[in-house]
Amino acid sequence: MNQKFQSFFPPHRTLMGPGPSDVNPRILDALSRPTIGHLDPLFVDLMDQTKQLLQFAFQTQNALTMPVSAPGSAGMEAVFVNLVEPGDKVIVCQNGVFGGRMQQNVQRCGGQAVMVQDEWGTATDINKLEQTLKMHPDAKAVAFVHAETSTGVRNDAKALCALAKQYECLTIVDAVTSLGGIELAVDDWQIDAIYSGTQKCLSCVPGLSPVSFSQQAIDVIKQRRSPVQSWFLDMDLVMGYWGQGTKRAYHHTAPVNSIYALHESLLILHEEGLQGAWDRHAAMHLKLRAGLEHLGLEFVVKEQDRLPQLNMVRIPSGIDDAAIRGRLLNEFNLEIGAGLGALAGKVWRIGLMGYGASQKNVDYCVNSLRQVLM
Ligand SMILES: *Cc1c(COP(=O)(O)O)cnc(C)c1O
């Protein structure tokens, strides 16, 4: 084989799928600044600021708020391996792909996952959760996905957590696609453990997972009967590195430049304000919706359960899903998402996340779709 190796220069795509989203150029700029040591006092200061900005984004006072040095899936794993021990019962609400991953995490921790199933494309039925809580008074936690990226459904995190708390359960929330895109209030909503991702509504590069644990969750971790089976994700050990003060124990080498990027993305969110970011996502969703409906495309999810940042529309009959997405990518440098599972070939998922939730992207998407559908 006479393979020629050379530097990689990707094209400038417009990313309107389920993630990663378009990265703000300010963040790419931050990423390329000089690497410094991960125990350099200046970097330690940056870690502290990043934690504070994450507390702002999550709306929490939780001391244990930090980014896990790996993508959203690792944040998910961090939450489950720390909180679930063999024999524990966890109620998992599933109405899409990511609830299914929560189930697998519980089972791999040796726990029992009790499922509350709802149709993909509909929201979790709170009455079903209440019946399940009554049938399983020994449940330790309730877990669900706030923004189900696989379908574009918003689950009512505030109401689900309030109910779980009435039954004295810990609350575990997947906020990978919700953070920065729709309202989220960790302390007010009594969320005990939450994980997110950098590559959705924070518009940062993929590869980090902000997490936050309440005092109650930390108490549960401290009282474990068995050590956490994952060394890397053991929060007790990670806390020694990301904890308060200057006496930091080496745990792993933080992805220094990626932290610059996350810090910059949170700074941008802070400048806009949470309400401003949520309002912008909602406004762009309405504009995109008008454009798509004008093309004759129908939304699948009921209006009150729709996520502004992930728009799932039915593919009109007679239209070749892969051919259209291929043309968008090759001729327009535009990426939109395919359907997953039973929805494969039937829907498109159009993301309006973070920096990509803009008038420019809305217009580009509607105009490009108009041309390829003609
Ligand atoms: C994208 C996503 C994840 C996984 O995040 P990765 O960064 O791809 O590991 C988990 N949950 C939800 C709801 C997501 O949208």
Side-chain angles (χ1 to χ4, degrees):
M1 288 269 278
N2 236 341
Q3 171 95 48
K4 260 220 181 146
F5 297 109
Q6 47 187 258
S7 299
F8 179 60
F9 294 96
H12 281 277
R13 306 272 204 219
T14 298
L15 300 179
M16 298 185 72
S21 59
D22 279 348
V23 177
N24 189 316
R26 258 179 76 180
I27 296 169
L28 290 176
D29 187 49
L31 200 59
S32 66
R33 289 176 197 150
T35 304
I36 60 175
H38 73 117
L39 295 174
D40 186 313
L42 290 175
F43 186 69
V44 170
D45 285 349
L46 183 76
M47 287 166 88
D48 280 339
Q49 255 204 41
T50 304
K51 282 169 55 177
Q52 287 168 29
L53 284 165
L54 278 176
Q55 288 172 327
F56 152 78
F58 276 130
Q59 298 204 82
T60 183
Q61 304 290 323
N62 289 341
L64 183 48
T65 302
M66 44 147 277
V68 169
S69 301
S73 306
M76 178 186 282
E77 188 126 4
V79 164
F80 286 99
V81 292
N82 281 277
L83 291 176
V84 182
E85 290 190 76
D88 285 348
K89 199 183 256 190
V90 178
I91 298 175
V92 177
C93 305
Q94 180 180 17
N95 53 349
V97 168
F98 293 101
R101 291 193 179 177
M102 288 180 144
Q103 174 186 27
Q104 289 178 28
N105 268 276
V106 171
Q107 291 168 345
R108 282 176 187 243
C109 295
Q112 184 193 344
V114 178
M115 302 304 290
V116 175
Q117 294 283 0
D118 277 287
E119 200 76 37
W120 289 31
T122 66
T124 292
D125 180 347
I126 195 157
N127 297 317
K128 278 193 201 167
L129 174 60
E130 179 144 39
Q131 283 161 20
T132 310
L133 281 161
K134 281 185 178 143
M135 278 165 58
H136 299 277
D138 54 338
K140 179 181 189 177
V142 169
F144 64 89
V145 179
H146 187 200
E148 207 7 296
T149 324
S150 63
T151 62
V153 163
R154 177 205 306 247
N155 288 313
D156 189 344
K158 185 180 182 181
L160 294 171
C161 287
L163 180 64
K165 281 291 165 190
Q166 276 177 32
Y167 289 82
E168 283 163 21
C169 283
L170 289 170
T171 51
I172 296 174
V173 178
D174 177 321
V176 176
T177 290
S178 61
L179 185 68
I182 51 173
E183 186 184 8
L184 172 64
V186 167
D187 288 358
D188 282 357
W189 295 357
Q190 305 177 78
I191 296 171
D192 289 305
I194 190 163
Y195 56 90
S196 188
T198 42
Q199 46 137 330
K200 314 263 170 130
C201 293
L202 294 182
S203 268
C204 187
V205 289
L208 290 176
S209 179
V211 297
S212 185
F213 293 83
S214 71
Q215 190 53 51
Q216 195 187 337
I218 293 172
D219 293 343
V220 167
I221 297 171
K222 297 250 182 237
Q223 286 156 21
R224 283 181 62 103
R225 306 179 292 273
S226 52
V228 173
Q229 68 265 30
S230 165
W231 178 86
F232 185 65
L233 297 174
D234 182 340
M235 279 301 140
D236 228 11
L237 300 177
V238 176
M239 269 185 269
Y241 184 50
W242 271 95
Q244 226 70 48
T246 44
K247 267 203 344 205
R248 282 178 204 244
Y250 165 63
H251 177 260
H252 66 282
T253 308
V256 172
N257 291 58
S258 293
I259 301 290
Y260 301 168
L262 172 60
H263 176 266
E264 193 70 19
S265 75
L266 293 167
L267 208 57
I268 292 166
L269 181 61
H270 192 258
E271 285 166 11
E272 183 174 24
L274 291 171
Q275 191 65 52
W278 302 334
D279 290 348
R280 177 170 49 83
H281 282 85
M284 291 306 137
H285 158 73
L286 290 180
K287 285 172 189 263
L288 179 70
R289 172 188 160 179
L292 294 175
E293 287 180 345
H294 198 246
L295 294 178
L297 296 169
E298 290 166 9
F299 277 73
V300 181
V301 177
K302 270 204 301 204
E303 191 166 347
Q304 75 259 29
D305 300 330
R306 280 178 206 160
L307 289 171
Q309 65 271 50
L310 198 289
N311 297 267
M312 184 163 82
V313 290
R314 228 178 288 283
I315 301 174
S317 62
I319 296 287
D320 183 343
D321 169 31
I324 293 290
R325 280 186 296 107
R327 280 194 62 198
L328 289 174
L329 192 66
N330 296 319
E331 295 170 31
F332 296 84
N333 270 317
L334 171 63
E335 179 179 278
I336 65 168
L340 291 178
L343 295 167
K346 300 201 172 103
V347 297
W348 288 318
R349 292 178 302 144
I350 302 176
L352 281 175
M353 298 182 182
Y355 185 66
S358 65
Q359 182 73 57
K360 180 165 160 266
N361 276 19
V362 167
D363 292 344
Y364 192 62
C365 179
V366 172
N367 289 332
S368 304
L369 265 172
R370 178 181 299 114
Q371 291 181 57
V372 294
L373 286 174
M374 252 181 355

